[in-house]
Amino acid sequence: LRPDIVLYNEPHPHGEEIGNFLKSDLQKRPNLLLIIGTSLKVIGLKKMIKDMSRIVHEQSNGIVIFINKTPAPK
């Protein structure tokens, strides 16, 4: 039996739906991004967070908050 997780280099079974939600959210030009509990070691997630952060920072009052036990990678 396989657990309900996505392993490295595997496509997410709901990736298209997630992409549609992300696109819809970013079109609304959010001014807050809250990132909690990720090491940002997964390349796809790291890229997604960077893209979202860039759009939030483009807003005059945009704020990105990163909460994690370990420091963010550079």
Side-chain angles (χ1 to χ4, degrees), residues 1 50 53-56 62 69-70 72:
L1 296 175
K50 281 185 173 185
S53 296
R54 186 177 359 85
I55 288 175
V56 170
K69 287 185 176 184
T70 59

Side-chain angles (χ1 to χ4, degrees), residues 45-56:
L45 179 64
K46 184 176 182 177
K47 182 183 179 332
M48 183 177 77
I49 297 293
K50 281 185 173 185
D51 292 344
M52 293 171 67
S53 296
R54 186 177 359 85
I55 288 175
V56 170

Side-chain angles (χ1 to χ4, degrees), residues 22-62:
L22 179 61
K23 182 179 176 183
S24 173
D25 287 347
L26 293 179
Q27 287 175 342
K28 296 174 185 172
R29 311 306 287 174
N31 63 357
L32 175 66
L33 176 61
L34 183 59
I35 307 155
I36 301 174
T38 178
S39 64
L40 296 176
K41 290 183 180 180
V42 176
I43 293 171
L45 179 64
K46 184 176 182 177
K47 182 183 179 332
M48 183 177 77
I49 297 293
K50 281 185 173 185
D51 292 344
M52 293 171 67
S53 296
R54 186 177 359 85
I55 288 175
V56 170
H57 281 301
E58 288 174 357
Q59 309 309 311
S60 61
N61 58 347

